[in-house]
Amino acid sequence: HWIPASKQIFDDAPQLMSLVDSELSYGLADVAEQQLLSGSCVGEDLNGIHPQATEFVAPFVPTAAGMLTQIDILLFAFAHVDAAMIDADGLVLNPLDWFDILMTKDDENNYIGSGPFDAQAIARLWRMPVATTTAMTQGNFLAGAFKRGAQIFDRQDATIEVSTEHSDFFIKNK
């Protein structure tokens, strides 16, 4: 992740640090999250978790009658993971999908969850932690055994490199 910076910005250390902390660090984390979750494994892209995931298929037909909700489908997803002899331990959703779930109400118009004023509310569904990210496209989800099935080996922490090379030679490592 990079940005062009003028020579003058290097004379103003507080402004440069602010730029690094606000723009570059956030942008790097955003790119890393996108790659880890959805990387296409083409070119320099990582092989993301979502493209490698087994496509969701309901592992059983429910005996309870009625229309399936989004929450029911996510319970099926946990059952799908567990049916593969792996204990599910988390869920990744787009924030808009999570907000939609949080808005679910019963027939008397009461929130089925803890409601909007519960300061102790933790993002959980069916006892599983929920991670929200815009890197997950709306309408998709990822249920999995992340502690067991996903590891990140980061060769180095974020570093700052400065160059006065011509055009994009520095970025392209020329």
Side-chain angles (χ1 to χ4, degrees):
H1 189 70
W2 68 276
I3 59 165
S6 67
K7 265 183 145 179
Q8 291 79 9
I9 199 169
F10 294 109
D11 294 334
D12 187 353
Q15 182 184 0
L16 178 60
M17 188 52 110
S18 173
L19 185 65
V20 167
D21 287 344
S22 65
E23 295 292 325
L24 290 176
S25 296
Y26 179 80
L28 180 62
D30 194 41
V31 169
E33 187 173 82
Q34 183 69 37
Q35 283 291 310
L36 290 168
L37 191 58
S38 302
S40 66
C41 198
V42 175
E44 293 182 7
D45 278 4
L46 296 177
N47 195 3
I49 297 170
H50 196 243
Q52 297 180 67
T54 304
E55 189 168 338
F56 170 72
V57 176
F60 62 91
V61 176
T63 55
M67 186 177 83
L68 293 177
T69 67
Q70 187 177 12
I71 296 170
D72 295 327
I73 299 298
L74 295 172
L75 180 59
F76 271 138
F78 290 130
H80 181 101
V81 174
D82 287 352
M85 307 289 226
I86 305 169
D87 293 333
D89 60 18
L91 178 67
V92 181
L93 292 172
N94 180 281
L96 297 178
D97 292 328
W98 179 239
F99 293 139
D100 187 39
I101 289 170
L102 291 175
M103 291 174 55
T104 305
K105 296 178 182 176
D106 63 19
D107 292 336
E108 296 177 6
N109 210 26
N110 297 311
Y111 289 103
I112 63 165
S114 56
F117 301 106
D118 184 357
Q120 304 300 318
I122 298 172
R124 288 189 175 279
L125 188 63
W126 300 114
R127 298 185 318 268
M128 302 291 174
V130 176
T132 59
T133 174
T134 55
M136 177 60 68
T137 55
Q138 190 175 359
N140 286 313
F141 61 86
L142 185 63
F146 300 104
K147 291 177 186 171
R148 179 177 171 199
Q151 292 184 14
I152 300 170
F153 298 100
D154 198 354
R155 186 176 56 84
Q156 79 182 58
D157 288 331
T159 59
I160 298 172
E161 296 180 0
V162 177
S163 171
T164 56
E165 314 250 341
H166 172 70
S167 186
D168 61 355
F169 285 5
F170 181 64
I171 298 162
K172 292 182 178 179
N173 202 24
K174 290 184 176 183

